[in-house]
Amino acid sequence: MRQTTSRKRPARIQARAGWATLYAWQVERATGTPIFRQVYLQMRSAILGQRLSPGAKLPSTRALATELGVARTSVISAYEQLLAEGYLSGRVGSGTYVSADLPEPVERLRPGRGKVARAPAPLSAQARAFAALGAVAVEDEDRPFTNARVLIDARTIEVWRRLTQQMFRGFDPIHRGYADARGLPELRRAICDYLGAARGVRARPEQIIITSGTQHAIDIAIRVLLSPGDEVWVEDPGYPMTRRALAAAGIALRPVAVDTQGLDVRAGLRSAPKARAAFITPSHQYPLGIMLAMTRRLELLAWARETSGWIIEDDYHSEYRYAGRQLAALQGLDEAERVIYVGTFNKVLFPGLRLGYAVVPPPLIQSFAGARFLIDRQAPTLSQALVAEFMRQGYFAAHIRRMRLLYRDQRDLVVGELQRRLGARIAVTAPEQGMHLVAFLRDGLSDIALEAALREHGVVVRALSRMYLKAPPRQGFLLGFTGFPRQVIGPAVARLARVVAAAKA
Ligand SMILES: Cc1ncc(COP(=O)(O)O)c(C=O)c1O
């Protein structure tokens, strides 16, 4: 994956910090091997085994001799021999380091390497499945139109800095120990107030479990509510990361088509009547952006009530509504305690924050709290306290208001530029909500082929057809429009248009 020039990675040589002082060196007197040789052999093996990196600072001969309970001359002899052989650099007595320029490439010197050909141990099916995901887990792409990128303005940055400093100045005892796995009470209260006012969610603060985001909340819901082999409804097309979490847990995916009203509940009832749960994005269907119609909401709730099924409502970015009426959350209509509402700060604020929440019916509070505790104990209390303060002092609402204007402007520019440059080759309309838009391809063009070609030209899109499981796939692109200022959007759409215009079916 491409790296930006502005982002600095820590250099390897920074390992100088002196981990070698923490190394568990040992000597044994009964072996007959001279002490100096034991020290020499251990150091050499640690260097060759790459357990000590080039540039690492070694303990002083005096400190190591004291730690080992041996004469200092033994340690000095070992260091001198390693210096003479080129494994160490510096001068005994004034700082000794693992040589940055080892006598032979470490890989070749490594004991046993290349001598015995050992077949790699077979990996489990789980390990292989996770490895396939590991290849895509390095999400540091920042070129237009990568999804879920955000622009944080100077006002929010300033407030964030100030609150962070305040938190660290106080460094209250709550931040120094373990805390309630369900989350800090002040954050849960703030979320409760916000969701009640903005999304019509009906809950008490006790029902809120703080997570690291949607993905974490979904994972907890799967562990708590489902068993391997259970069937669940997923939207078709739908959000790949939810499906991956379900598949990894051995859950049987039952794709249910999405039409102009959202999830087709009756189709789900026909094709998978035994489903235990439905994972859905009702306020802005991912990826198509359709709002689940009221009749469908009522049908879905009736299904859950009658079959004791669960509804996992992923309300991932309802904060960014640009036009039109928004329906309240499904959770607010639920009289039977069947809905788990999942929300996140990672989109409305920024993905690196890693904070989100689940709102669970009272009978599930302890189970969710227990699962959360087992997986990862608790969310970092400093960030929780910071977000709670950010909300309490009104900055959260103000941030949303300002970002809404900015993102709406960027959305309009992307849509306008796409229409102007590609005209009839694509069908695109401005979504009323969210952080991405969908441009449908015409003329029989393949979105997967174009996705690869566009990447070569510095434009990142997600092929829509990949998000279908069973329904006939439509060809199109998802374009994230929130992370890129106007001056980036124009040239990027121009590049995109050139590639699409040159493509053949
Ligand atoms: C449908 C959907 N849900 C949730 C999320 C956010 O997930 P998280 O809070 O784990 O970052 C995304 C991010 O792209 C998304 O597309």
Side-chain angles (χ1 to χ4, degrees):
M1 208 149 286
R2 202 185 69 101
Q3 242 174 269
T4 51
T5 44
S6 62
R7 220 177 301 150
K8 288 212 177 66
R9 307 267 161 163
R12 213 171 145 65
I13 210 75
Q14 281 170 5
R16 266 176 191 285
W19 300 121
T21 53
L22 303 179
Y23 211 89
W25 312 106
Q26 302 178 12
V27 289
E28 284 176 27
R29 290 177 196 282
T31 60
T33 310
I35 300 291
F36 97 87
R37 182 137 181 92
Q38 291 189 39
V39 176
Y40 162 83
L41 287 173
Q42 279 184 63
M43 289 214 160
R44 187 168 171 271
S45 139
I47 295 168
L48 295 181
Q50 290 178 293
R51 296 185 297 281
L52 284 183
S53 313
K57 189 173 193 302
L58 292 181
S60 72
T61 50
R62 190 184 305 277
L64 187 55
T66 309
E67 194 184 312
L68 296 174
V70 301
R72 191 171 162 217
T73 46
S74 303
V75 180
I76 292 177
S77 304
Y79 276 32
E80 278 175 346
Q81 183 162 345
L82 290 161
L83 276 162
E85 291 174 1
Y87 292 104
L88 301 183
S89 61
R91 222 157 24 90
V92 176
S94 64
T96 319
Y97 298 86
V98 174
S99 178
D101 186 17
L102 291 169
E104 279 188 66
V106 168
E107 279 305 308
R108 281 225 326 265
L109 284 168
R110 218 159 154 185
R113 270 283 162 122
K115 288 186 188 149
V116 193
R118 254 191 291 145
L123 292 178
S124 66
Q126 279 290 83
R128 286 198 304 276
F130 281 125
L133 250 186
V136 292
V138 200
E139 276 202 16
D140 64 352
E141 182 61 83
D142 61 357
R143 292 177 292 179
F145 296 94
T146 305
N147 272 255
R149 305 280 318 180
V150 297
L151 293 178
I152 298 283
D153 65 3
R155 270 147 107 180
T156 293
I157 291 175
E158 168 50 30
V159 171
W160 204 264
R161 279 209 182 106
R162 190 158 45 74
L163 292 177
T164 306
Q165 277 161 7
Q166 262 171 34
M167 293 293 148
F168 275 106
R169 256 199 307 276
F171 209 29
D172 293 344
I174 184 80
H175 303 310
R176 292 179 244 144
Y178 289 115
D180 187 336
R182 297 167 303 174
L184 291 189
E186 59 266 38
L187 180 59
R188 296 161 79 205
R189 266 196 309 275
I191 293 172
C192 208
D193 291 348
Y194 160 67
L195 290 179
R199 303 294 300 123
V201 168
R202 292 184 302 163
R204 289 177 286 110
E206 301 83 77
Q207 289 171 252
I208 295 178
I209 310 279
I210 306 296
T211 66
S212 71
T214 310
Q215 198 62 30
H216 188 197
I218 285 174
D219 185 49
I220 297 174
I222 294 170
R223 290 172 193 246
V224 170
L225 305 174
L226 301 170
S227 306
D230 279 354
E231 296 181 17
V232 303
W233 292 349
V234 290
E235 294 164 317
D236 193 15
Y239 184 48
M241 290 294 281
T242 296
R243 293 173 180 176
R244 286 170 174 154
L246 287 161
I251 309 298
L253 302 184
R254 296 291 176 254
V256 179
V258 171
D259 62 19
T260 54
Q261 311 264 290
L263 185 91
D264 186 345
V265 179
R266 289 182 196 182
L269 280 169
R270 280 195 301 277
S271 63
K274 294 210 190 84
R276 300 283 310 117
F279 286 74
I280 56 161
T281 48
S283 80
H284 190 250
Q285 200 274 329
Y286 187 95
L288 297 176
I290 293 157
M291 183 161 57
L292 189 66
M294 186 49 89
T295 45
R296 296 280 173 88
R297 289 173 185 241
L298 298 176
E299 282 172 9
L300 192 62
L301 288 166
W303 160 81
R305 198 174 50 241
E306 284 155 22
T307 65
S308 298
W310 298 106
I311 299 170
I312 291 76
E313 174 177 20
D314 176 359
D315 205 16
Y316 59 112
H317 58 196
S318 56
E319 295 84 4
Y320 292 127
R321 183 89 195 158
Y322 310 109
R325 198 174 54 94
Q326 190 176 42
L327 284 180
L330 197 56
Q331 193 271 2
L333 296 173
D334 174 26
E335 300 292 343
E337 301 188 326
R338 307 309 303 172
V339 176
I340 290 89
Y341 176 94
V342 171
T344 182
F345 291 110
N346 302 327
K347 302 209 84 173
V348 60
L349 289 173
F350 51 98
L353 178 60
R354 303 318 303 156
L355 271 185
Y357 44 87
V359 184
V360 303
L364 289 176
I365 296 174
Q366 290 299 58
S367 312
F368 269 68
R372 206 258 174 263
F373 175 67
L374 182 68
I375 299 167
D376 177 38
R377 275 243 184 208
Q378 62 181 65
T381 51
L382 277 163
S383 356
Q384 292 188 63
L386 202 151
V387 172
E389 213 40 33
F390 192 75
M391 295 176 92
R392 195 185 66 78
Q393 294 187 26
Y395 296 119
F396 184 63
H399 174 82
I400 293 172
R401 280 197 299 274
R402 290 198 310 279
M403 289 299 119
R404 226 182 244 156
L405 296 180
L406 180 72
Y407 292 162
R408 190 180 59 191
D409 182 56
Q410 292 173 195
R411 172 201 70 170
D412 291 345
L413 184 63
V414 177
V415 171
E417 284 293 288
L418 282 171
Q419 286 170 338
R420 186 169 73 80
R421 291 179 182 275
L422 281 165
R425 297 212 91 184
I426 55 155
V428 59
T429 49
E432 292 188 333
Q433 181 176 317
M435 298 168 71
H436 73 263
L437 55 84
V438 185
F440 295 99
L441 288 168
R442 295 205 172 118
D443 304 340
L445 294 176
S446 149
D447 57 7
I448 291 179
L450 276 169
E451 181 187 57
L454 283 167
R455 218 164 240 279
E456 301 279 298
H457 290 79
V459 179
V460 179
V461 297
R462 282 190 194 168
L464 174 64
S465 65
R466 276 190 219 287
M467 292 167 197
Y468 286 82
L469 285 177
K470 210 168 104 199
R474 295 180 72 183
Q475 303 291 315
F477 298 142
L478 271 68
L479 279 76
F481 55 79
T482 48
F484 312 97
R486 290 184 73 90
Q487 62 272 25
V488 172
I489 291 174
V493 177
R495 289 201 298 281
L496 181 148
R498 272 199 300 278
V499 175
V500 174
K504 298 207 172 44

